[in-house]
Amino acid sequence: MWLSDLKIVLPDRVLEHGAIEIVDGKIASVLEGTAPGDVPSLDGLTLIPGLVDLHGDMLERDVLPRPTARFPTEVGLLELDKRLAGAGITTAFAAISFEWESGDLRSEESAVEMVESINRLNHVTLVDMYVHTRFEVTNPEIAPILQRLLEQDQVQLVSIMDHTPGQGQFRDIDRYLNFMEKWLGAGMDILSDTKDAVLEKMKENIAAAAEKPHNRDVVRKLLEVAQAHNVPVASHDDDTEEKVALHAGMGVTISEFPVSFEAAHAAREHDMAVIMGAPNAFRGQSTSNNLSARDAIAEGLVDILATDYYPAAMLHAAFKLAAEGVLPLHESVRLVSTNPARAVGMADRGSIKTGQCADLVLIHENDDGYPRVRGTIRNGHPIYWDSHLASVSDLTSQFRIEGETGVPSQGRRNSPGGGN
């Protein structure tokens, strides 16, 4: 089937008027002009590759939207799946925390159950779903659990992180306490004694954590297991050149959310792919007052944008960067498609070119500057389709013929292979 009369964002340029042919779930050809034969016109829409998100923190919040309101993981995952498809995301890595206190959401039982659920349900999700485990180095006793999951091929991306205040994301402890005070919420102002007690406890925990040595041998062993299973590894919140060098020496190939220009430059020197948050890029600032993704992009230090905590931000950040002249559109779109796919060794997706999987997003570029997803296609089949596209009857009928009774069970195409 053909999609015709589109503005098409290619890896190296924008084709203002073109068409693509989809055969057996792959892009068979891309041409300039109108498709041959009598095919529906999609004039006015822009076609981009399906977005590839390497770090999304939404699942845990969807499973536990309120402190005492736990929903089944399957409910949270399948509802999140729909939101991702509607945001133009066709490949997603759900980030699961491997750091916990007994009894809360972040527990061994909960983390393992989430990992297993993502792998078990992948064949029915709209989006190609993978597992990204976040290993907190201050909890070395958790390493054997994560190692077992790696050996069972249940994990497709690992990040190593250290959220101890005084370094990394929260280098400024006073700023960290101010952030946490806001996070506790204005509603606690009437319970000032309670809030003060919580903040005092945080200060005690910070002091205790600062005295707790980090067992780098545990981290090295874990990374060896990941690399033996061809699972790429990222570092998180790098803040110094020394820390980046340490991680690069361990075989880390991705630097997630570096918090300083120094760290971002060092990651580039060590040939690490640099990920920043799409919300940061869209807003122009970090929620922790660290490195601005917009400033880092302008200096050529960013390869990838990830959802972080807000799925819609990937698409909106890419188009905003282009609209404001920070990057040409084809380069800003690469930050959310081609580059993340390459960073984890997924050579079959992320670009509109012959032979790639037909993971595509149809966009209406509104006059208000906010792009709107009209349709998302994965493996040549619609996974999100709005009323605008549904009204193009000939187009809808083509998909029905191609996919017969609907979106087939698609499953995982491959697993990440590491490398830049």
Side-chain angles (χ1 to χ4, degrees), residues 9-66:
V9 180
L10 301 173
D12 58 349
R13 63 192 173 102
V14 174
L15 189 61
E16 293 296 336
H17 182 207
I20 73 164
E21 183 183 19
I22 300 172
V23 177
D24 294 331
K26 294 188 179 297
I27 298 172
S29 58
V30 181
L31 60 82
E32 189 167 6
T34 300
D38 184 17
V39 299
S41 174
L42 294 172
D43 186 41
L45 296 183
T46 299
L47 189 71
I48 67 172
L51 308 185
V52 179
D53 179 30
L54 299 186
H55 188 128
D57 287 339
M58 294 77 63
L59 180 59
E60 290 176 338
R61 182 58 60 88
D62 283 359
V63 171
L64 193 73
R66 294 290 185 272

Side-chain angles (χ1 to χ4, degrees), residues 360-399:
L360 306 162
V361 191
L362 290 155
I363 304 292
H364 181 200
E365 297 186 58
N366 293 317
D367 293 336
D368 60 13
Y370 300 122
R372 184 172 178 177
V373 175
R374 293 297 190 183
T376 305
I377 298 166
R378 179 182 159 216
N379 282 349
H381 296 279
I383 59 173
Y384 173 80
W385 214 241
D386 78 354
S387 59
H388 176 84
L389 289 177
S391 67
V392 185
S393 58
D394 290 343
L395 178 66
T396 303
S397 66
Q398 281 192 83
F399 275 114

Side-chain angles (χ1 to χ4, degrees), residues 3-186:
L3 301 176
S4 186
D5 301 312
L6 292 157
K7 175 181 174 180
I8 303 178
V9 180
L10 301 173
D12 58 349
R13 63 192 173 102
V14 174
L15 189 61
E16 293 296 336
H17 182 207
I20 73 164
E21 183 183 19
I22 300 172
V23 177
D24 294 331
K26 294 188 179 297
I27 298 172
S29 58
V30 181
L31 60 82
E32 189 167 6
T34 300
D38 184 17
V39 299
S41 174
L42 294 172
D43 186 41
L45 296 183
T46 299
L47 189 71
I48 67 172
L51 308 185
V52 179
D53 179 30
L54 299 186
H55 188 128
D57 287 339
M58 294 77 63
L59 180 59
E60 290 176 338
R61 182 58 60 88
D62 283 359
V63 171
L64 193 73
R66 294 290 185 272
T68 58
R70 175 69 189 250
F71 282 79
T73 297
E74 183 168 342
V75 171
L77 180 63
L78 295 180
E79 292 303 317
L80 172 62
D81 181 42
K82 290 187 290 185
R83 287 166 50 211
L84 296 176
I89 296 169
T90 52
T91 300
F93 286 71
I96 308 299
S97 300
F98 274 70
E99 172 207 11
W100 49 71
E101 297 293 336
S102 178
D104 66 3
L105 172 69
R106 292 181 173 180
S107 65
E108 175 181 346
E109 294 78 11
S110 179
V112 171
E113 192 264 339
M114 285 189 182
V115 168
E116 292 176 345
S117 293
I118 293 167
N119 285 286
R120 176 172 53 85
L121 295 172
N122 179 269
H123 72 288
V124 298
T125 53
L126 302 171
V127 172
D128 199 8
M129 299 284 281
Y130 295 86
V131 173
H132 174 166
T133 53
R134 308 174 66 195
F135 174 62
E136 196 75 27
V137 298
T138 53
N139 296 108
E141 66 277 5
I142 294 170
I145 302 165
L146 183 49
Q147 179 175 329
R148 186 185 77 242
L149 291 169
L150 282 163
E151 291 169 346
Q152 294 172 348
D153 295 324
Q154 296 265 0
V155 175
Q156 292 81 41
L157 176 61
V158 174
S159 57
I160 53 174
M161 53 190 64
D162 182 355
H163 283 107
T164 306
Q167 55 80 58
Q169 181 180 4
F170 296 110
R171 292 177 293 169
D172 186 323
I173 291 178
D174 289 336
R175 185 174 288 168
Y176 166 74
L177 290 171
N178 181 57
F179 172 83
M180 292 308 299
E181 185 172 9
K182 291 178 180 177
W183 186 256
L184 289 173

